[in-house]
Amino acid sequence: MTRLLRPLLCGALLGLICMIDPGPAVEVLVPAEPLSTPLGKTAELTCSYRTSVTDTFALEWSFVQPGKPIAESHPILYFTSGHLYPTGSKAKRASLLQNPPTGGVATLKLTDVRPSDTGTYLCHVNNPPDFYTNGLGLINLTVLVPPSSPLCSQTGQISVGGSAALRCSSSEGAPRPVYNWARLGSSPTPSPGSMVQDEVSGQLILTNLSLASSGTYRCVATNQLGSASCELILSVTDPSKGRVAGALIGVLLGVLFLAIAAFCLIRFQKERRKRPKETYGGSDLREDAMAPGISEQTSVRADSSNGLLERPPSASTVMTTKSKLPMVV
């Protein structure tokens, strides 16, 4: 009986020892807080590990863009067999704080950081035959970018009694900038009841516009790294004044047209008076005028045969031009 129990007791004791001391393990430690680095500066992504380094030790840093799964990560550099191999688009800017990284420090240095460097970085340590309980560390990096010059725009019915929407937006900026609108000059700022501002979207709504709402408005975009601004001029119109002006212009054009017509008529009348009058045939003839072809002097015809003088025809026998010629009208 004792011989049967002895192997069982040894097996149980060996199992208990294995549970208490499972053997070598790999543990990777990274900061829990996200890392932020200004644009153009150098970022240090701290990573340390615990393991007994052997010839099979390997280290790999990789990167994945925001919003994508870890499976889509791309390698930045890796260390294996005593050599460092940078790779990928960040190869020229990526290095290790300690090379070779066999002393427990695997910190990554990334110089001249850019907006495209924002994302998640993976520090992966592998050291067979050590098994790992936590051989992977994740670090979130945000590259801080000052706001770019925002673009100001306006929409809406920009007239008395209407409403207007002023918009402001920067194409760049990390973290995302906040927007604030202000009116410039000595004119009073619109009352809070007629002005609604959204600092996140950069929109300013103005309602119940009046002529006093006209002026210059400035939008300022701000984040941790700086600020930028843009301005626009709001011109509120009065439709009633526009109608009066239109009517006045119409009246002036009508008066101008009548003046031109009167001028042309007067000039036409003056030109007509300067033309010579036509002479009517019967108005200037005397009743005792001689008919055409008859001389005013008495023709004396001598009759060689009888020697008698022939008397000229009397006035009664001569038809006047007035009774002979038709009247010209």
Side-chain angles (χ1 to χ4, degrees):
M1 187 70 179
T2 304
R3 292 179 179 179
L4 293 175
L5 292 175
R6 185 177 295 173
L8 294 175
L9 291 174
C10 290
L13 182 60
L14 180 61
L16 180 61
I17 293 173
C18 290
M19 291 177 63
I20 296 174
D21 185 13
V26 176
E27 185 179 6
V28 174
L29 303 174
V30 295
E33 296 296 325
L35 176 65
S36 298
T37 304
L39 178 70
K41 301 297 183 180
T42 298
E44 290 190 2
L45 289 78
T46 303
C47 177
S48 60
Y49 63 88
R50 297 186 190 135
T51 189
S52 56
V53 176
T54 63
D55 293 340
T56 59
F57 173 83
L59 167 68
E60 179 183 355
W61 275 96
S62 56
F63 168 77
V64 62
Q65 294 178 345
K68 292 188 177 182
I70 295 177
E72 296 186 13
S73 63
H74 303 281
I76 299 174
L77 59 78
Y78 56 93
F79 178 88
T80 184
S81 302
H83 296 284
L84 181 66
Y85 301 95
T87 184
S89 61
K90 307 180 194 300
K92 294 183 178 181
R93 299 184 293 119
S95 62
L96 291 175
L97 185 63
Q98 292 185 3
N99 187 23
T102 55
V105 177
T107 299
L108 174 70
K109 287 180 62 177
L110 190 63
T111 61
D112 189 24
V113 293
R114 307 165 184 174
S116 58
D117 294 331
T118 296
T120 302
Y121 291 78
L122 291 74
C123 178
H124 185 198
V125 176
N126 189 16
N127 188 35
D130 293 0
F131 70 92
Y132 56 89
T133 55
N134 185 21
L136 180 66
L138 305 179
I139 301 176
N140 292 319
L141 172 65
T142 299
V143 178
L144 302 178
V145 181
S148 60
S149 296
L151 176 64
C152 289
S153 61
Q154 61 181 358
T155 58
Q157 184 181 358
I158 318 299
S159 58
V160 174
S163 60
L166 310 186
R167 291 181 173 85
C168 175
S169 178
S170 296
S171 58
E172 295 181 355
R176 188 174 181 177
V178 294
Y179 303 94
N180 285 285
W181 283 93
R183 184 175 179 179
L184 304 181
S186 58
S187 301
T189 302
S191 61
S194 62
M195 180 178 65
V196 179
Q197 183 171 191
D198 189 340
E199 294 184 349
V200 176
S201 66
Q203 180 171 263
L204 174 66
I205 304 297
L206 299 174
T207 59
N208 194 23
L209 293 173
S210 64
L211 295 178
S213 303
S214 299
T216 302
Y217 291 78
R218 172 183 292 172
C219 172
V220 180
T222 308
N223 69 2
Q224 293 175 235
L225 242 63
S227 62
S229 64
C230 63
E231 299 177 3
L232 62 77
I233 298 176
L234 183 69
S235 299
V236 181
T237 60
D238 190 347
S240 61
K241 292 184 178 180
R243 289 192 294 267
V244 171
L248 180 60
I249 292 174
V251 170
L252 292 177
L253 290 176
V255 171
L256 179 61
F257 175 78
L258 292 176
I260 293 174
F263 173 78
C264 293
L265 181 60
I266 293 172
R267 185 170 182 179
F268 175 76
Q269 293 292 341
K270 289 182 177 180
E271 291 292 335
R272 187 175 180 183
R273 291 174 182 174
K274 290 180 180 180
R275 295 176 185 174
K277 296 183 179 180
E278 295 184 0
T279 304
Y280 293 95
S283 60
D284 297 330
L285 295 179
R286 303 191 307 271
E287 290 187 0
D288 58 349
M290 300 293 291
I294 300 177
S295 174
E296 295 181 356
Q297 297 179 356
T298 304
S299 71
V300 178
R301 289 178 296 182
D303 190 356
S304 59
S305 59
N306 51 20
L308 296 175
L309 292 176
E310 194 174 87
R311 295 183 62 187
S314 63
S316 61
T317 61
V318 181
M319 298 181 62
T320 64
T321 304
K322 181 176 180 182
S323 60
K324 186 66 175 181
L325 297 179
M327 179 68 69
V328 179
V329 179

